[in-house]
Amino acid sequence: QVQLVESGGGLVQAGGSLRLSCAASGHTFSMDKMGWFRWAPGKEREFVARIAGSDGSIYYADSVKGRFTISRDNAKNTVYLQMSSLKPEDTAVYYCAAGLLARTTYDSWGRGTQVTVSS
């Protein structure tokens, strides 16, 4: 398993930007698929974005496409989520996850970081 720790969350006004980071340690060979998810009170966990190390493929949820950018720095074992044009509905706890690209599921999850967007 790979250990993941998110950071960079906070309070921002609508229209602002934040960059989330996910630092990985341990079995980093499991980082061939890295994803960001978010979970808001009263809602189900929502997929946000995914990036693969092997083929470089990137996928975004329709709700964030054009506003969020996922990237990774393999030398630093870190995955980023650059969030721009933030909306109040983006408010949630954001989690990063790691898994095998060939599988639908993720094997490792971080503890999450809170993002709050005010009107």
Side-chain angles (χ1 to χ4, degrees), residues 31 38 41 44 49 51 56 58 61 67 89 98 110 112-113 116-117:
M31 294 177 60
R38 62 188 182 185
E44 295 182 349
I51 186 170
I58 294 176
R67 300 187 299 117
E89 50 263 44
T113 184
T116 303
V117 184

Side-chain angles (χ1 to χ4, degrees), residues 3 19 54 57 60 67 72:
Q3 291 74 51
R19 188 181 72 164
S54 57
S57 59
Y60 295 99
R67 300 187 299 117
R72 62 190 296 167

